[in-house]
Structure formats: structure tokens, C-alpha cells
């Protein structure tokens, strides 16, 4: 995590020197609630879930009220349809739908007289996570001593591709530890490792992870091949989580009808390595 610490320090110094003295007060309370709809379909075996909830004020606890009694359905461009069942408050689950590559899916939610929709197409060409390597790095300005993993996969030529990777270490979510600060609390991996082929179209992709590993660790990676709208949602969601931007704002959404959130359709592939 050393590289990120130095970069963060540099950015803070820039802000200190260029910031103006005017204080801007933001009213982040008493904001009208909005519906939040989140879910996705993949090419892996279902069922798939759609979660419906409400927003809360910015300074409130992250306990979002759920929305029950909605009519939720997903249909594809071939006329197949699945009416989702509410399996717990605010959680709606498919019953027969099986996601397929190359198919366009539409989510439709009817709630309190309002209809919300979102469309996402699952990419047709599968992307295989070919391999993962782990290399030892000595103590330096950029690394704490340890093993670091790199994932490799081939990007299709002449197609705009967007990717997210999720990581598990020894079957659990990873926590980053600052070895230079004994008082710093471990930082949980939010697992939004995003990339695209804007500058590497058609080439072998090598994605380096900052997780410091030890001999014997199992490193699992799930590669998700996203459409542009899902990628933009995740990208701006990371900005919100990390406190980026001039003022608090909502992630970019592909939902129509006034709801926040997203609906995505993407394929997945997995690979793993044991550090030796």
C-alpha cells in the first residue's frame, strides 16, 4: 500500500496549495427519498436477485428501508420473461431465468404506480481469465516486502471492453494493512478492480493487484465482462466510496423512471493460484 500512501500525500499537498478560502455549505439533510434498484444477470447459474430500497439522508446510518410488494420482471429480446418472487423484504429473485451471452435483458419494476426500467446487453464473446502469476517484491518505495499477483487475459480486437475483477484471499475478503503505521486500522478491500481496453485494445491484458501475499496463500480472481453502463456505475460508485469529487453525488445510473442504482448483464470467468 506504500504507493497509494505516497500518491495520497501528494494529492493532499496539491489541494492545500490550490484550494480557495471560501467555505461552501452543503445541505445534505431533508433530501427527498428516492428508490434504489440494484441487480444483475450473469451467464452463471441462477437464481439472480434484484434489491429495492430507499435512500436516506447523507449523514444518516447506512440502514436503507426496503421496498416490498413491487412487481418485478426481467425479459429478453427473444420474448422470454421471468416474474420475480419476493423472497425477503426488498429482495426479489428469479425463478426460471438463465442468463446467456449475446442477449439483451430488460428489467421492469412497478412500484406505487411508477414504472422503472433498465436495459443491459451481455457481451457475446466470452473472455477467459487465462492465468494468474505471483512474483516476489523486495521492500521499496512502492512495495512492502511480499508476493504480488498479476492476472492475464486476452482482450478482443476492435471492440470496446470493460472489466471488473473481484478478489478473495484464502476464501475471504482481503484487508490491507499499513506496515508503517501500527495504529492504522486494516482497510477492507471494496473489490471494485476496474479496467478497460481504451489504450490496450486487442492486446494481452496484465492487471497487477496491490494485495500483499504470503507463501501458501490462495488468490482467487473473478473476471466480469461488463457493458459500458455497468462499468460507469461501478466507476462512479468507487468515487463516492472513496470520497472523490467536489461534492457528494450519486453514481451514474442506467435506471429510467427516476430511480437510482443499476441493472447489469455480464459474463464471468474465474481462476486462482496458490503462492509458492
Amino acid at each position: 500500500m506504500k504507493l497509494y500512501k505516497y500518491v495520497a500525500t501528494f494529492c493532499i499537498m496539491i489541494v492545500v496549495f490550490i484550494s480557495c478560502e471560501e467555505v461552501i455549505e452543503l445541505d445534505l439533510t431533508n433530501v427527498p427519498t428516492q428508490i434504489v434498484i440494484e441487480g444483475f444477470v450473469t451467464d452463471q447459474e441462477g437464481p439472480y436477485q434484484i434489491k429495492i430500497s430507499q435512500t436516506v439522508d447523507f449523514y444518516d446510518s447506512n440502514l436503507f428501508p426496503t421496498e416490498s410488494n413491487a412487481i418485478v420482471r426481467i425479459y429478453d429480446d427473444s420474448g422470454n420473461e421471468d416474474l420475480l418472487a419476493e423472497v425477503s423484504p426488498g429482495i426479489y429473485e428469479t425463478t426460471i431465468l438463465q442468463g446467456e451471452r449475446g442477449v439483451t435483458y430488460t428489467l421492469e419494476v412497478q412500484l406505487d404506480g411508477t414504472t422503472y426500467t433498465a436495459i443491459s446487453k451481455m457481451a457475446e464473446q466470452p473472455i477467459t481469465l487465462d492465468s494468474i502469476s505471483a512474483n516476489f517484491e523486495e521492500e521499496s518505495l512502492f512495495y512492502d516486502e511480499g508476493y504480488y499477483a498479476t492476472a492475464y487475459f486476452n482482450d478482443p480486437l476492435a471492440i470496446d471492453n470493460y472489466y471488473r475483477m473481484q478478489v478473495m484471499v484464502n476464501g475471504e475478503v482481503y484487508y490491507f494493512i499499513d506496515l508503517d503505521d501500527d495504529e492504522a486500522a486494516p482497510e477492507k478491500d471494496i473489490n471494485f478492480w476496474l479496467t478497460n481496453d481504451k489504450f490496450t485494445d486487442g492486446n494481452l491484458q496484465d492487471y497487477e493487484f496491490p494485495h500483499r501475499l504470503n507463501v501458501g496463500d490462495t488468490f482467487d480472481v473473478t473476471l466480469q465482462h461488463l457493458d459500458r453502463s455497468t462499468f460507469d456505475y461501478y466507476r462512479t460508485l468507487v468515487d463516492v466510496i472513496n470520497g472523490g469529487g467536489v461534492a457528494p453525488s450519486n453514481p451514474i445510473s442506467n435506471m429510467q423512471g427516476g430511480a437510482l442504482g443499476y441493472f447489469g448483464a455480464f459474463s464471468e470467468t474465474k481462476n486462482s493460484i496458490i503462492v509458492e
Side-chain angles (χ1 to χ4, degrees), residues 5-270:
K5 181 171 66 177
Y6 285 110
V7 171
T9 302
F10 179 71
C11 291
I12 292 172
M13 292 175 63
I14 293 177
V15 171
V16 169
F17 283 114
I18 68 174
S19 295
C20 60
E21 296 181 358
E22 181 181 358
V23 177
I24 301 175
E25 296 291 341
L26 298 175
D27 183 9
L28 301 177
T29 59
N30 300 318
V31 177
T33 61
Q34 288 183 270
I35 298 299
V36 181
I37 303 172
E38 303 168 284
F40 52 81
V41 172
T42 76
D43 62 343
Q44 306 300 302
E45 185 176 356
Y48 317 105
Q49 292 185 340
I50 301 296
K51 179 181 178 181
I52 307 177
S53 59
Q54 296 180 7
T55 59
V56 295
D57 286 341
F58 184 79
Y59 296 111
D60 287 351
S61 62
N62 291 327
L63 297 176
F64 303 99
T66 57
E67 285 286 350
S68 293
N69 302 316
I71 300 175
V72 182
R73 66 189 186 107
I74 299 175
Y75 57 90
D76 63 25
D77 49 5
S78 297
N80 302 305
E81 179 180 330
D82 193 351
L83 183 64
L84 280 65
E86 187 172 10
V87 295
S88 62
I91 305 296
Y92 300 81
E93 194 169 85
T94 58
T95 57
I96 59 174
L97 180 67
Q98 173 56 56
E100 298 181 19
R101 291 189 295 270
V103 176
T104 299
Y105 293 94
T106 299
L107 169 68
E108 181 181 279
V109 174
Q110 297 180 32
L111 179 64
D112 295 334
T114 302
T115 299
Y116 308 96
T117 60
I119 300 174
S120 182
K121 180 178 181 179
M122 192 182 303
E124 184 169 359
Q125 185 168 355
I127 308 296
T128 301
L129 185 55
D130 296 319
S131 63
I132 304 171
S133 67
N135 298 310
F136 181 77
E137 297 289 347
E138 295 182 351
E139 176 81 13
S140 69
L141 177 65
F142 302 104
Y143 294 99
D144 291 316
E145 182 176 293
Y147 290 84
Y148 295 85
T150 302
Y152 301 90
F153 58 95
N154 285 291
D155 178 79
L157 181 65
I159 303 174
D160 293 336
N161 292 292
Y162 306 90
Y163 305 101
R164 173 194 179 186
M165 280 166 281
Q166 293 179 292
V167 168
M168 301 288 281
V169 178
N170 299 323
E172 299 178 345
V173 175
Y174 185 84
Y175 281 81
F176 293 99
I177 299 175
D178 189 346
L179 299 181
D180 296 326
D181 187 353
D182 295 335
E183 298 182 359
E187 182 181 345
K188 185 178 181 180
D189 183 5
I190 63 173
N191 249 326
F192 285 99
W193 303 103
L194 303 172
T195 186
N196 60 54
D197 64 350
K198 183 176 181 179
F199 302 108
T200 56
D201 181 47
N203 295 321
L204 176 68
Q205 310 294 304
D206 53 341
Y207 192 96
E208 300 179 3
F209 294 94
H211 307 69
R212 187 176 66 87
L213 307 173
N214 299 307
V215 172
D217 283 346
T218 298
F219 190 78
D220 299 302
V221 180
T222 298
L223 173 67
Q224 298 173 344
H225 188 195
L226 312 175
D227 67 354
R228 176 62 184 270
S229 63
T230 305
F231 178 83
D232 285 341
Y233 175 81
Y234 286 153
R235 175 179 55 81
T236 51
L237 177 62
V238 170
D239 288 341
V240 173
I241 294 173
N242 291 334
V246 177
S249 61
N250 295 313
I252 296 173
S253 174
N254 66 343
M255 301 298 305
Q256 302 296 316
L260 303 177
Y262 79 103
F263 171 68
F266 50 79
S267 60
E268 290 186 341
T269 183
K270 301 179 181 182

